[in-house]
Amino acid sequence: MRAVVDDDSCRGHGVCAAVCPEVFVITDGGYAEAVDIPISPDLEASVREAVDGCPEHAIHITEENHVN
Ligand code: SF4
């Protein structure tokens, strides 16, 4: 699983970073970024919680686990 934050939709509320700081960080610009690495299975539940909690529906997840 990987997570991607849609820059155009993110409004920087920071819910994602509060729910799952291992994956989401708020950058100096005030918006969220997801780490660009496959998410370990033990973090998947909190990533899904961040997806559900994002007020802008700005987080998308894919099941892809490797870099092409
Ligand atoms: S919760 Fe959503 S809108 Fe808020 S910082 Fe995270 S991705 Fe952006």
Side-chain angles (χ1 to χ4, degrees), residues 43-54:
L43 288 176
E44 288 189 4
S46 60
V47 168
R48 291 185 198 281
E49 194 181 327
V51 170
D52 291 344
C54 174

Side-chain angles (χ1 to χ4, degrees), residues 10-36:
C10 176
R11 292 292 175 264
H13 305 292
V15 176
C16 53
V19 169
C20 188
E22 295 90 344
V23 172
F24 301 99
V25 294
I26 302 297
T27 67
D28 291 344
Y31 297 102
E33 251 178 33
V35 294
D36 191 23

